[in-house]
Amino acid sequence: SITAYNLHWIEGIDPTEDLCLHGNAKAIIGHEVLEYDDATVSSTALYLLKSLKEDHKIYESNQMLPCCGFFMIANEELSKVDICGCPNGVDWSVLHENDDVILITETGKRTVIPIDEYRKTVFAFADLIESFYNNAKDKIIPEDEFDRNGYVAFWNEWKALRYEI
């Protein structure tokens, strides 16, 4: 399972200009509880959505529960985004094998779950985060083209993965 609570925008920044949602994140994988206070849960949700179709190997890129996600790099079509942040966070591997997902934590413990169960868990988390955005004040889209493209690509990729557009 994975959940987020205490969802918020960064204090001291106009909430309409803060594009990244933060909160306490808690994942339970097997018998391990993995937590990160003040994670960038919007990035977590996108990483989880990406992990529905592709493997994620621990320590090879972003952390699944990242501290930061402040630098978004869009592809040319604005259909995908890479998110960069600091090296702090909690990570685990997500590997696909037939109709199962294998989760491997930092301690090396493996948990195998059916892909359908994993998908439900990921969608529930993504829906929680998206609902918070939908109930917040409208965001001011950055004027800077690079920043604007990153944010647009973030939501384009999110919607394509979540709603299989």
Side-chain angles (χ1 to χ4, degrees):
S1 68
I2 185 164
T3 192
Y5 54 96
N6 189 26
L7 300 176
H8 62 277
W9 311 111
I10 294 177
E11 190 173 323
I13 296 177
D14 181 341
T16 62
E17 294 179 8
D18 188 358
L19 305 179
C20 300
L21 183 60
H22 294 265
N24 299 62
K26 179 179 178 179
I28 300 173
I29 299 174
H31 298 292
E32 289 185 72
V33 176
L34 310 173
E35 295 182 88
Y36 197 84
D37 293 339
D38 208 24
T40 304
V41 294
S42 51
S43 295
T44 295
L46 184 62
Y47 299 152
L48 289 168
L49 287 166
K50 288 182 182 206
S51 76
L52 290 171
K53 302 213 182 240
E54 57 192 54
D55 289 348
H56 169 82
K57 294 185 181 171
I58 196 168
Y59 306 132
E60 284 191 4
S61 58
N62 55 275
Q63 308 90 355
M64 294 302 278
L65 303 180
C67 173
C68 304
F70 53 82
F71 192 67
M72 296 186 275
I73 306 165
N75 68 355
E76 279 189 35
E77 299 80 25
L78 303 183
S79 61
K80 294 186 183 227
V81 66
D82 287 320
I83 304 171
C84 300
C86 74
N88 299 322
V90 175
D91 204 9
W92 61 86
S93 290
V94 181
L95 307 174
H96 296 84
E97 187 174 283
N98 301 317
D99 291 332
D100 291 325
V101 172
I102 303 165
L103 306 174
I104 306 171
T105 64
E106 291 177 326
T107 64
K109 293 184 180 168
R110 299 167 54 98
T111 301
V112 179
I113 59 173
I115 186 68
D116 291 338
E117 182 180 331
Y118 183 73
R119 185 178 296 109
K120 287 178 190 174
T121 301
V122 168
F123 282 172
F125 185 84
D127 292 350
L128 171 72
I129 302 308
E130 188 172 359
S131 175
F132 195 88
Y133 271 92
N134 290 340
N135 290 313
K137 292 181 180 178
D138 287 344
K139 295 294 177 189
I140 297 173
I141 305 303
E143 289 183 22
D144 176 80
E145 182 180 13
F146 181 85
D147 292 338
R148 180 179 60 248
N149 287 350
Y151 187 68
V152 168
F154 174 89
W155 284 108
N156 286 343
E157 185 170 16
W158 179 300
K159 290 174 184 172
L161 293 167
R162 174 59 184 95
Y163 304 107
E164 298 186 33
I165 296 172

